[in-house]
Amino acid sequence: MAVRQRPFHLVVFGASGFTGQFVTEEVAREQMDPEGSSRLAWAVAGRCREKLQRVLERAAQKLGRPTLPSEVGIIICDITTPGSLDEMARQATIVLNCVGPYRFYGEPVVKACIENGTSCIDISGEPQFLELMYWKYHQKAAEKGVYIIGSSGFDSIPADMGVIYTSNKINGTLTAVESFLTINSGPEGLCIHDGTWKSAVYGFGNQNQLKKLRNQSNLKPVPIVGAKLKRRWPVSYCRELSSYSIPFLGADVSVVKRTQRYLHENLDQSPVQYAAYVTVGGITSVIKLMFAGLFFLLFVKFGIGRQLLIRFPWLFSFGYFSKQGPTQKQIDAASFTMTFFGQGYSHTCPIENNKPNIRVCTQVKGPEAGYIATPIAMVQAAMTLLNDVSNLPSVGGVFTPGAAFAKTKLIDRLNKRGLEFSVISSSEV
């Protein structure tokens, strides 16, 4: 990707939104890094100049940089006005799109970026949007030489890059991985802004559309290498982590599978089977989540049920989601650990008709997932896109993070910013 001579290297679109303000702070923090390259010109974009100005002022106060508001450009644009999106895209090398739910607001930004030769990164955890953008725009983005990279936040950089990291650390061929996400909270508990809740409500409410999209794609199945990974029960016990777990219902499985398809078809790598789970603690937590899940799945099937879920997120999520989002104390006290259990075959063990003879355990650990880890992941993805050009796919297109960044130094960048990738154990069986 050639860095074009435009007024701004990065533009944060939706900077005054709940997540956008944290992404804005993280870009400003990146520009303060004494070990980084020369400061990049950047801007914030949205509908209201006053709100954007307040976001910059808050970031300046938090980071101790009183001159920040005068150093950052402001672009006024609206998702409902295509001309304003074109004008924003023409001024940027990369747009960081923080405006969701992406199923409603994502495509106009993707379209404007491609038409104006601008790369785009988003933090969507919505498989239907992500997969639809690939089918509609991959070829156009390739022709323009721009990179459209979705799911570049907590959904799904830790999972996608974690599987790649695990594959690179095994002394042989990795064939299957199970990941277990553990969310840690402080004394004031957890809370997530209801924007994520809305995306989940609309996603589960429109699952038939996703199934239809996948059926229409008529993709050839990715081969299963080695022993087939068995699915766990909806509630299962993980002995290694001494915790019950349930399937993780975010975008991780969709994203990792797309990455593994790309690596197999384009780089001739052995594909890795993948399953994702989230730990829920003891049996009391399991019962509580089962009730919440039953309510959610019942209500999400009907229009009036979806309206109730969206109107009262705190009630139906047992307090985990709210319209106000988490407090700063809740954010500061939270963290996550994603543990990967991989299996595969040593170089001396034939894969055919044999049991895996290598086990490997890796981890990705980081700060609070939604509003610290997500901005870090998004901004470092953008910096990788700007600075590690020779290791990106040779032509543009619509990519998962793993497909775009498999050969880059993104993991090194994340390690330096507090998203730590490490090997816990590795052994031949």
Side-chain angles (χ1 to χ4, degrees), residues 28-350:
R29 194 174 287 113
E30 171 68 26
Q31 299 304 292
M32 293 170 62
D33 180 16
E35 297 181 5
S37 56
S38 58
R39 288 187 177 180
L40 303 176
W42 64 289
V44 292
R47 291 178 296 178
C48 177
R49 179 177 295 275
E50 289 75 20
K51 287 183 179 180
L52 294 170
Q53 189 69 33
R54 284 199 295 271
V55 167
L56 292 174
E57 289 169 358
R58 283 198 298 269
Q61 185 176 13
K62 190 172 181 179
L63 299 175
R65 279 187 63 190
T67 61
L68 179 66
S70 63
E71 298 169 0
V72 181
I74 293 180
I75 300 172
I76 305 304
C77 65
D78 191 325
I79 199 74
T80 62
T81 310
S84 70
L85 294 177
D86 288 332
E87 181 61 27
M88 173 186 69
R90 280 194 290 267
Q91 297 183 65
T93 300
I94 302 173
V95 169
L96 306 185
N97 183 15
C98 303
V99 180
Y102 290 90
R103 68 167 49 244
F104 299 128
Y105 308 122
E107 184 171 355
V109 180
V110 170
K111 185 177 180 182
C113 284
I114 293 174
E115 289 179 351
N116 291 281
T118 305
S119 291
C120 180
I121 292 174
D122 70 49
I123 46 177
S124 170
E126 305 166 44
Q128 184 185 344
F129 166 76
L130 295 165
E131 295 181 30
L132 181 63
M133 291 304 97
Y134 174 81
W135 290 112
K136 289 187 72 170
Y137 294 105
H138 178 68
Q139 191 59 42
K140 293 177 183 178
E143 291 169 1
K144 285 281 191 174
V146 299
Y147 296 83
I148 309 298
I149 306 172
S151 55
S152 292
F154 180 72
D155 279 343
S156 293
I157 278 183
D160 206 16
M161 299 306 295
V163 172
I164 289 173
Y165 176 83
T166 305
S167 181
N168 291 338
K169 294 300 179 180
I170 196 170
N171 188 24
T173 301
L174 184 70
T175 58
V177 172
E178 290 180 314
S179 70
F180 292 83
L181 170 65
T182 301
I183 299 292
N184 310 298
S185 63
E188 297 193 17
L190 289 170
C191 185
I192 304 172
H193 189 260
D194 77 326
T196 302
W197 175 257
K198 288 178 183 176
S199 296
V201 170
Y202 290 121
F204 280 95
N206 293 278
Q207 278 188 313
N208 288 336
Q209 294 180 20
L210 179 57
K211 290 179 181 177
K212 184 179 179 181
L213 175 65
R214 288 173 174 172
N215 289 335
Q216 289 175 340
S217 67
N218 200 27
L219 287 171
K220 180 182 176 182
V222 175
I224 294 174
V225 177
K228 187 174 182 179
L229 182 62
K230 294 180 181 178
R231 280 190 177 183
R232 292 175 178 256
W233 289 95
V235 177
S236 62
Y237 188 75
C238 179
R239 291 194 306 273
E240 295 88 346
L241 300 176
S242 301
S243 177
Y244 286 94
S245 68
I246 60 174
F248 180 68
L249 300 178
D252 287 356
V253 171
S254 165
V255 171
V256 171
K257 285 184 175 180
R258 288 172 58 213
T259 292
Q260 293 304 314
R261 173 180 292 278
Y262 173 87
L263 297 177
H264 173 65
E265 294 179 350
N266 293 274
L267 302 181
D268 201 29
Q269 293 187 11
S270 180
V272 178
Q273 304 167 68
Y274 177 67
Y277 302 92
V278 56
T279 62
V280 294
I283 195 67
T284 303
S285 298
V286 170
I287 294 170
K288 182 179 177 181
L289 281 166
M290 284 178 66
F291 274 105
L294 287 172
F295 272 113
F296 183 86
L297 293 174
L298 177 64
F299 277 66
V300 82
K301 290 181 180 179
F302 308 101
I304 191 168
R306 290 193 289 273
Q307 291 176 27
L308 288 170
L309 288 169
I310 289 169
R311 189 173 179 184
F312 304 106
W314 189 87
L315 175 65
F316 288 103
S317 68
F318 285 68
Y320 285 115
F321 293 85
S322 78
K323 294 181 181 296
Q324 294 75 34
T327 65
Q328 192 61 50
K329 284 185 178 179
Q330 287 175 317
I331 291 173
D332 292 340
S335 63
F336 79 90
T337 302
M338 189 172 283
T339 306
F340 299 83
F341 296 103
Q343 63 183 32
Y345 298 80
S346 65
H347 297 299
T348 58
C349 178

